[in-house]
Amino acid sequence: MADARHVLVTGGTSGIGLAIAQAFAKEGDHLILIGSSPERDYTKAVQAVEAAGKAAGHDVRVCAHGVNITDFPAVKALLAEIAAKVGTLDVVVHSAGVFFETPITDETPEAFDKMMSINVSGMWHVVQASLPYIRRKKGHVHGGKIVAISSICGFYSFAGYAAYAASKAAATALVRSLALELGPLGININAVEPGRVKTSMHDALINDPTKAEALQAVAEANPSKRTFSTPEDIAAVVLFLAGPGAVAMHGSAIVVDEGTSLGLV
């Protein structure tokens, strides 16, 4: 596959990140998956991505590594190790992050700091550490792509999730500012802003019978009449932003939320 790209996906071992990795594998691209723990076994995720590629007729190469993205020296060392093996990176997708409540009445500054450290500093670490290895523009050949998964919470907040909202607003702001720096290098960086996505993170909500009526109300209010998007819905937008059709897009933030933010239910 002469045209196969090397695609790095943080958070690529589960949830939205795994769906994104599988979508690239179906295109015939080679994947580097980054999980959150150096000690964890990511064999199942690797096999799932390989299977997605094989089902589409591609024999893709997939590997997985774990790293704490708040540890900048560790992130830099891992990216150097990966680049030594695969060479230039064509696409970097930053999907890693955390989501939990941080009500201010609980007085939990440690939780707030953890959220910001992972969701904001972690993103900065990944982009900065990968930058030396991302393809630059050469002549008429466009450079590499960076796509960050943010959230509509960065625009429209919800009670009890101030830290998450602040972290995602910061992540989107980072994308917009970095676009001005990376564009002259021929590198596009853009963001995807999901709403509610059906992943294991929402299992407790989905399986709680006391929430059924509220979830139905959300579906009825949404133009799509769906409460949740799927990870594959998000992956489809990431594929577009990583492709040639998005070459004119720099610092964009694409909302994918079933229309929730139109009525904010």
Side-chain angles (χ1 to χ4, degrees):
M1 292 179 292
D3 297 325
R5 297 171 293 183
H6 287 104
V7 181
L8 183 145
V9 184
T10 70
T13 59
S14 64
I16 294 173
L18 179 58
I20 290 169
Q22 290 174 307
F24 278 105
K26 291 175 183 177
E27 296 293 310
D29 297 318
H30 305 306
L31 276 301
I32 304 103
L33 314 180
I34 305 297
S36 61
S37 172
E39 291 78 32
R40 194 168 300 166
D41 183 359
Y42 296 114
T43 301
K44 288 185 178 180
V46 169
Q47 291 174 340
V49 177
E50 289 176 336
K54 187 174 182 179
H58 303 295
D59 184 17
V60 299
R61 297 190 299 272
V62 185
C63 64
H65 304 268
V67 69
N68 175 0
I69 61 173
T70 68
D71 183 344
F72 186 45
V75 175
K76 287 191 71 174
L78 178 59
L79 264 295
E81 176 187 335
I82 290 170
K85 294 178 180 178
V86 307
T88 301
L89 297 172
D90 298 288
V91 181
V92 172
V93 180
H94 182 62
S95 182
V98 291
F99 171 84
F100 49 83
E101 288 187 86
T102 53
I104 197 166
T105 51
D106 286 356
E107 298 183 3
T108 54
E110 294 82 7
F112 187 94
D113 291 345
K114 178 181 178 181
M115 184 79 73
M116 299 300 286
S117 179
I118 295 174
N119 288 0
V120 185
S121 297
M123 174 183 163
W124 174 272
H125 294 163
V126 169
V127 173
Q128 208 282 340
S130 62
L131 191 57
Y133 314 112
I134 298 176
R135 177 166 48 87
R136 302 297 200 267
K137 181 178 180 179
K138 291 185 179 180
H140 297 294
V141 179
H142 295 293
K145 313 286 186 183
I146 303 174
V147 183
I149 305 301
S150 189
S151 169
I152 64 165
C153 283
F155 304 114
Y156 309 98
S157 195
F158 301 90
Y161 292 91
Y164 184 73
S167 72
K168 290 304 183 179
T172 300
L174 271 176
V175 166
R176 293 171 63 86
S177 293
L178 292 176
L180 297 172
E181 297 185 49
L182 302 183
L185 301 177
I187 298 172
N188 298 76
I189 180 169
N190 294 287
V192 180
E193 314 283 342
R196 298 176 181 89
V197 181
K198 193 173 184 180
T199 65
S200 59
M201 181 177 70
H202 284 115
D203 281 349
L205 175 63
I206 294 170
N207 297 323
D208 185 347
T210 68
K211 304 296 184 182
E213 186 175 336
L215 292 179
Q216 182 58 37
V218 170
E220 291 174 358
N222 283 344
S224 68
K225 303 307 175 186
R226 298 200 304 176
T227 303
F228 295 92
S229 302
T230 68
E232 290 73 24
D233 293 327
I234 310 305
V237 179
V238 173
L239 278 184
F240 166 72
L241 288 174
V247 69
M249 299 179 69
H250 296 270
S252 297
I254 300 181
V255 173
V256 186
D257 71 345
E258 304 297 326
T260 294
S261 55
L262 299 175
L264 225 64
V265 175

